[in-house]
Amino acid sequence: DNPSAALWRGIALADAQRWAEAREELERGQPAVDGLPPSWRTRFHLALAETALNLNDIVVADQASMAAASAASPEQRGQAALLAARIQAARGDGAGALVAFDALTRSRSEPVAVRASLEAVRTRRMLGQITPEAAAEVLDGLRFRWRGDELELQAVATLAEAYVEMNRQREALLVMQ
């Protein structure tokens, strides 16, 4: 029943992409957040924003993202800006989100820059602003730029979708392998 323990359970569940359980634990731990150092407070706000966004609760995601935006570290500020852009895209403002994603692709933080590049390609595809060939070119570079976690898998899956759109099923299957 310890609120601090709930925060850590929430982080672990968010990392496992068990969004509903993560949100429950992160909300249960909110009374303990104010007593934490700023960097840890930001980490929990970022986890709540990501969790809420994945549960399509844009209001909570936006509030948590704004709370994280004043982070002390440049890395966390970049993560908060990326989440804010993803929230903007989820609200239906793809053009505004693209401006933010494009700016974030030049981030000094490699995880933020790569994620922003992937999100920019996804948003452009959704808006019909990029051909499958151009998307595949960007995504092919991303899969070698970032390796070893969920971000790589998302880039590869999006690349496979682009290959399928180009009727290149063999390449789609090879890249997914």
Side-chain angles (χ1 to χ4, degrees):
D1 293 334
N2 185 318
S4 294
L7 290 173
W8 290 105
R9 283 191 303 271
I11 288 282
L13 290 164
D15 286 345
Q17 297 182 359
R18 292 169 52 187
W19 304 120
E21 295 166 277
R23 178 166 181 182
E24 189 176 302
E25 292 296 332
L26 290 166
E27 287 180 349
R28 186 176 294 136
Q30 284 303 310
V33 170
D34 290 338
L36 297 171
S39 64
W40 286 104
R41 200 173 322 139
T42 299
R43 184 173 178 186
F44 292 112
H45 287 303
L46 289 169
L48 179 58
E50 179 74 30
T51 298
L53 181 58
N54 280 285
L55 292 172
N56 293 318
D57 188 341
I58 304 302
V59 173
V60 170
D62 197 33
Q63 291 169 345
S65 174
M66 285 191 289
S70 62
S73 82
E75 174 75 25
Q76 288 179 325
R77 280 195 305 274
Q79 291 172 356
L82 183 58
L83 268 166
R86 289 177 56 213
I87 291 165
Q88 194 172 7
R91 281 196 172 121
D93 182 10
L98 273 175
V99 171
F101 290 140
D102 287 341
L104 289 166
T105 61
R106 296 180 294 281
S107 172
R108 290 184 182 181
S109 166
E110 190 69 2
V112 170
V114 171
R115 168 66 74 181
S117 296
L118 175 61
E119 294 297 336
V121 169
R122 286 177 166 173
T123 303
R124 281 188 173 87
R125 289 189 63 203
M126 181 187 70
L127 296 173
Q129 294 180 355
I130 192 170
T131 64
E133 292 82 8
E137 186 176 324
V138 173
L139 293 164
D140 197 40
L142 285 181
R143 74 183 178 125
F144 292 108
R145 184 175 170 190
W146 189 263
R147 309 281 297 191
D149 66 6
E150 182 67 26
L151 182 54
E152 177 190 9
L153 296 177
Q154 291 174 9
V156 166
T158 308
L159 176 59
E161 290 171 10
Y163 281 147
V164 167
E165 282 183 42
M166 294 185 289
N167 291 320
R168 293 170 53 185
Q169 282 73 14
R170 178 171 163 58
E171 287 96 333
L173 291 171
L174 286 173
V175 79
M176 289 301 291
Q177 183 182 18

mmCIF file of all heavy atoms in Angstrom, residues 121 125 129-141 158-159 161-168:
data_model
loop_
_atom_site.group_PDB
_atom_site.id
_atom_site.type_symbol
_atom_site.label_atom_id
_atom_site.label_comp_id
_atom_site.label_asym_id
_atom_site.label_seq_id
_atom_site.Cartn_x
_atom_site.Cartn_y
_atom_site.Cartn_z
ATOM 1 N N VAL A 121 7.751 10.231 -39.894
ATOM 2 C CA VAL A 121 7.410 9.382 -41.046
ATOM 3 C C VAL A 121 5.989 8.852 -40.893
ATOM 4 O O VAL A 121 5.194 8.890 -41.847
ATOM 5 C CB VAL A 121 8.420 8.220 -41.205
ATOM 6 C CG1 VAL A 121 7.917 7.184 -42.213
ATOM 7 C CG2 VAL A 121 9.774 8.744 -41.618
ATOM 8 N N ARG A 125 2.942 9.715 -43.430
ATOM 9 C CA ARG A 125 2.214 8.634 -44.114
ATOM 10 C C ARG A 125 0.718 8.767 -43.861
ATOM 11 O O ARG A 125 -0.083 8.608 -44.773
ATOM 12 C CB ARG A 125 2.711 7.273 -43.638
ATOM 13 C CG ARG A 125 4.125 6.970 -44.141
ATOM 14 C CD ARG A 125 4.543 5.570 -43.878
ATOM 15 N NE ARG A 125 3.634 4.706 -44.630
ATOM 16 C CZ ARG A 125 3.406 3.449 -44.328
ATOM 17 N NH1 ARG A 125 4.004 2.886 -43.319
ATOM 18 N NH2 ARG A 125 2.572 2.725 -45.045
ATOM 19 N N GLN A 129 1.627 12.637 -47.099
ATOM 20 C CA GLN A 129 2.656 13.586 -47.525
ATOM 21 C C GLN A 129 3.972 12.917 -47.916
ATOM 22 O O GLN A 129 4.933 13.623 -48.211
ATOM 23 C CB GLN A 129 2.928 14.602 -46.407
ATOM 24 C CG GLN A 129 1.779 15.503 -46.101
ATOM 25 C CD GLN A 129 2.123 16.477 -44.992
ATOM 26 O OE1 GLN A 129 3.184 16.429 -44.384
ATOM 27 N NE2 GLN A 129 1.195 17.384 -44.718
ATOM 28 N N ILE A 130 4.027 11.607 -47.888
ATOM 29 C CA ILE A 130 5.270 10.922 -48.218
ATOM 30 C C ILE A 130 4.928 9.651 -48.986
ATOM 31 O O ILE A 130 3.942 8.980 -48.671
ATOM 32 C CB ILE A 130 6.095 10.622 -46.944
ATOM 33 C CG1 ILE A 130 7.517 10.180 -47.291
ATOM 34 C CG2 ILE A 130 5.402 9.628 -46.054
ATOM 35 C CD1 ILE A 130 8.437 10.101 -46.074
ATOM 36 N N THR A 131 5.719 9.364 -49.985
ATOM 37 C CA THR A 131 5.506 8.130 -50.750
ATOM 38 C C THR A 131 6.053 6.950 -49.953
ATOM 39 O O THR A 131 6.939 7.121 -49.102
ATOM 40 C CB THR A 131 6.231 8.193 -52.103
ATOM 41 O OG1 THR A 131 7.645 8.257 -51.864
ATOM 42 C CG2 THR A 131 5.766 9.387 -52.930
ATOM 43 N N PRO A 132 5.565 5.760 -50.233
ATOM 44 C CA PRO A 132 6.123 4.589 -49.555
ATOM 45 C C PRO A 132 7.628 4.442 -49.809
ATOM 46 O O PRO A 132 8.370 4.028 -48.918
ATOM 47 C CB PRO A 132 5.346 3.416 -50.151
ATOM 48 C CG PRO A 132 4.067 4.007 -50.628
ATOM 49 C CD PRO A 132 4.399 5.408 -51.056
ATOM 50 N N GLU A 133 8.075 4.819 -51.002
ATOM 51 C CA GLU A 133 9.501 4.717 -51.331
ATOM 52 C C GLU A 133 10.334 5.658 -50.455
ATOM 53 O O GLU A 133 11.383 5.260 -49.924
ATOM 54 C CB GLU A 133 9.738 5.044 -52.820
ATOM 55 C CG GLU A 133 9.175 4.017 -53.777
ATOM 56 C CD GLU A 133 7.675 4.174 -54.056
ATOM 57 O OE1 GLU A 133 7.067 5.174 -53.625
ATOM 58 O OE2 GLU A 133 7.116 3.278 -54.703
ATOM 59 N N ALA A 134 9.867 6.887 -50.313
ATOM 60 C CA ALA A 134 10.598 7.854 -49.484
ATOM 61 C C ALA A 134 10.560 7.442 -48.012
ATOM 62 O O ALA A 134 11.558 7.570 -47.293
ATOM 63 C CB ALA A 134 10.014 9.254 -49.663
ATOM 64 N N ALA A 135 9.415 6.937 -47.579
ATOM 65 C CA ALA A 135 9.307 6.459 -46.197
ATOM 66 C C ALA A 135 10.268 5.298 -45.960
ATOM 67 O O ALA A 135 10.961 5.251 -44.938
ATOM 68 C CB ALA A 135 7.873 6.037 -45.890
ATOM 69 N N ALA A 136 10.327 4.375 -46.917
ATOM 70 C CA ALA A 136 11.211 3.212 -46.779
ATOM 71 C C ALA A 136 12.666 3.639 -46.681
ATOM 72 O O ALA A 136 13.434 3.061 -45.905
ATOM 73 C CB ALA A 136 11.015 2.254 -47.945
ATOM 74 N N GLU A 137 13.036 4.652 -47.435
ATOM 75 C CA GLU A 137 14.420 5.128 -47.391
ATOM 76 C C GLU A 137 14.784 5.658 -46.000
ATOM 77 O O GLU A 137 15.831 5.323 -45.452
ATOM 78 C CB GLU A 137 14.623 6.221 -48.435
ATOM 79 C CG GLU A 137 16.055 6.670 -48.570
ATOM 80 C CD GLU A 137 16.236 7.687 -49.674
ATOM 81 O OE1 GLU A 137 15.558 7.585 -50.710
ATOM 82 O OE2 GLU A 137 17.063 8.586 -49.483
ATOM 83 N N VAL A 138 13.897 6.456 -45.423
ATOM 84 C CA VAL A 138 14.148 6.997 -44.080
ATOM 85 C C VAL A 138 14.154 5.875 -43.049
ATOM 86 O O VAL A 138 15.043 5.791 -42.195
ATOM 87 C CB VAL A 138 13.084 8.057 -43.711
ATOM 88 C CG1 VAL A 138 13.230 8.500 -42.262
ATOM 89 C CG2 VAL A 138 13.170 9.254 -44.648
ATOM 90 N N LEU A 139 13.164 5.001 -43.130
ATOM 91 C CA LEU A 139 13.027 3.925 -42.146
ATOM 92 C C LEU A 139 14.170 2.921 -42.221
ATOM 93 O O LEU A 139 14.596 2.391 -41.189
ATOM 94 C CB LEU A 139 11.685 3.220 -42.335
ATOM 95 C CG LEU A 139 10.466 4.077 -42.016
ATOM 96 C CD1 LEU A 139 9.209 3.449 -42.584
ATOM 97 C CD2 LEU A 139 10.350 4.311 -40.524
ATOM 98 N N ASP A 140 14.663 2.675 -43.423
ATOM 99 C CA ASP A 140 15.785 1.757 -43.566
ATOM 100 C C ASP A 140 17.009 2.299 -42.828
ATOM 101 O O ASP A 140 17.737 1.548 -42.176
ATOM 102 C CB ASP A 140 16.098 1.524 -45.043
ATOM 103 C CG ASP A 140 16.946 0.291 -45.257
ATOM 104 O OD1 ASP A 140 16.706 -0.728 -44.586
ATOM 105 O OD2 ASP A 140 17.864 0.348 -46.100
ATOM 106 N N GLY A 141 17.210 3.590 -42.894
ATOM 107 C CA GLY A 141 18.311 4.207 -42.150
ATOM 108 C C GLY A 141 18.086 4.146 -40.649
ATOM 109 O O GLY A 141 19.021 3.910 -39.875
ATOM 110 N N THR A 158 7.082 -0.546 -39.400
ATOM 111 C CA THR A 158 6.637 0.527 -40.297
ATOM 112 C C THR A 158 7.306 0.389 -41.657
ATOM 113 O O THR A 158 6.681 0.622 -42.697
ATOM 114 C CB THR A 158 6.925 1.906 -39.667
ATOM 115 O OG1 THR A 158 6.370 1.938 -38.339
ATOM 116 C CG2 THR A 158 6.307 3.024 -40.478
ATOM 117 N N LEU A 159 8.580 -0.009 -41.676
ATOM 118 C CA LEU A 159 9.285 -0.252 -42.932
ATOM 119 C C LEU A 159 8.625 -1.395 -43.701
ATOM 120 O O LEU A 159 8.418 -1.310 -44.921
ATOM 121 C CB LEU A 159 10.759 -0.573 -42.661
ATOM 122 C CG LEU A 159 11.620 -0.955 -43.867
ATOM 123 C CD1 LEU A 159 11.630 0.158 -44.917
ATOM 124 C CD2 LEU A 159 13.040 -1.272 -43.411
ATOM 125 N N GLU A 161 5.534 -2.304 -43.575
ATOM 126 C CA GLU A 161 4.272 -1.786 -44.122
ATOM 127 C C GLU A 161 4.514 -1.013 -45.412
ATOM 128 O O GLU A 161 3.748 -1.136 -46.378
ATOM 129 C CB GLU A 161 3.579 -0.885 -43.101
ATOM 130 C CG GLU A 161 3.020 -1.594 -41.904
ATOM 131 C CD GLU A 161 2.540 -0.626 -40.819
ATOM 132 O OE1 GLU A 161 2.469 0.595 -41.075
ATOM 133 O OE2 GLU A 161 2.238 -1.099 -39.711
ATOM 134 N N ALA A 162 5.573 -0.205 -45.427
ATOM 135 C CA ALA A 162 5.903 0.559 -46.639
ATOM 136 C C ALA A 162 6.249 -0.385 -47.792
ATOM 137 O O ALA A 162 5.816 -0.167 -48.928
ATOM 138 C CB ALA A 162 7.053 1.522 -46.361
ATOM 139 N N TYR A 163 7.014 -1.436 -47.507
ATOM 140 C CA TYR A 163 7.355 -2.410 -48.542
ATOM 141 C C TYR A 163 6.099 -3.096 -49.095
ATOM 142 O O TYR A 163 5.983 -3.320 -50.298
ATOM 143 C CB TYR A 163 8.327 -3.462 -48.018
ATOM 144 C CG TYR A 163 9.765 -3.014 -47.945
ATOM 145 C CD1 TYR A 163 10.599 -3.493 -46.947
ATOM 146 C CD2 TYR A 163 10.304 -2.132 -48.871
ATOM 147 C CE1 TYR A 163 11.931 -3.108 -46.870
ATOM 148 C CE2 TYR A 163 11.627 -1.741 -48.804
ATOM 149 C CZ TYR A 163 12.439 -2.229 -47.807
ATOM 150 O OH TYR A 163 13.750 -1.844 -47.735
ATOM 151 N N VAL A 164 5.173 -3.421 -48.226
ATOM 152 C CA VAL A 164 3.927 -4.053 -48.668
ATOM 153 C C VAL A 164 3.157 -3.099 -49.580
ATOM 154 O O VAL A 164 2.621 -3.513 -50.622
ATOM 155 C CB VAL A 164 3.069 -4.504 -47.466
ATOM 156 C CG1 VAL A 164 1.652 -4.877 -47.897
ATOM 157 C CG2 VAL A 164 3.733 -5.668 -46.742
ATOM 158 N N GLU A 165 3.112 -1.819 -49.225
ATOM 159 C CA GLU A 165 2.434 -0.834 -50.078
ATOM 160 C C GLU A 165 3.070 -0.745 -51.460
ATOM 161 O O GLU A 165 2.399 -0.422 -52.433
ATOM 162 C CB GLU A 165 2.468 0.548 -49.427
ATOM 163 C CG GLU A 165 1.473 0.732 -48.321
ATOM 164 C CD GLU A 165 1.504 2.146 -47.767
ATOM 165 O OE1 GLU A 165 1.605 3.107 -48.564
ATOM 166 O OE2 GLU A 165 1.439 2.284 -46.534
ATOM 167 N N MET A 166 4.361 -1.026 -51.530
ATOM 168 C CA MET A 166 5.070 -0.975 -52.815
ATOM 169 C C MET A 166 5.034 -2.329 -53.532
ATOM 170 O O MET A 166 5.709 -2.517 -54.531
ATOM 171 C CB MET A 166 6.542 -0.574 -52.591
ATOM 172 C CG MET A 166 6.704 0.835 -52.084
ATOM 173 S SD MET A 166 8.445 1.338 -51.955
ATOM 174 C CE MET A 166 9.036 0.378 -50.576
ATOM 175 N N ASN A 167 4.237 -3.269 -53.002
ATOM 176 C CA ASN A 167 4.150 -4.633 -53.545
ATOM 177 C C ASN A 167 5.504 -5.336 -53.528
ATOM 178 O O ASN A 167 5.825 -6.100 -54.432
ATOM 179 C CB ASN A 167 3.540 -4.638 -54.948
ATOM 180 C CG ASN A 167 2.083 -4.272 -54.914
ATOM 181 O OD1 ASN A 167 1.359 -4.697 -54.018
ATOM 182 N ND2 ASN A 167 1.646 -3.462 -55.863
ATOM 183 N N ARG A 168 6.272 -5.084 -52.478
ATOM 184 C CA ARG A 168 7.570 -5.743 -52.313
ATOM 185 C C ARG A 168 7.488 -6.642 -51.066
ATOM 186 O O ARG A 168 8.160 -6.418 -50.068
ATOM 187 C CB ARG A 168 8.669 -4.677 -52.185
ATOM 188 C CG ARG A 168 8.857 -3.904 -53.491
ATOM 189 C CD ARG A 168 9.736 -2.687 -53.376
ATOM 190 N NE ARG A 168 11.040 -2.931 -52.779
ATOM 191 C CZ ARG A 168 11.914 -1.956 -52.511
ATOM 192 N NH1 ARG A 168 11.634 -0.710 -52.813
ATOM 193 N NH2 ARG A 168 13.073 -2.250 -51.958
#
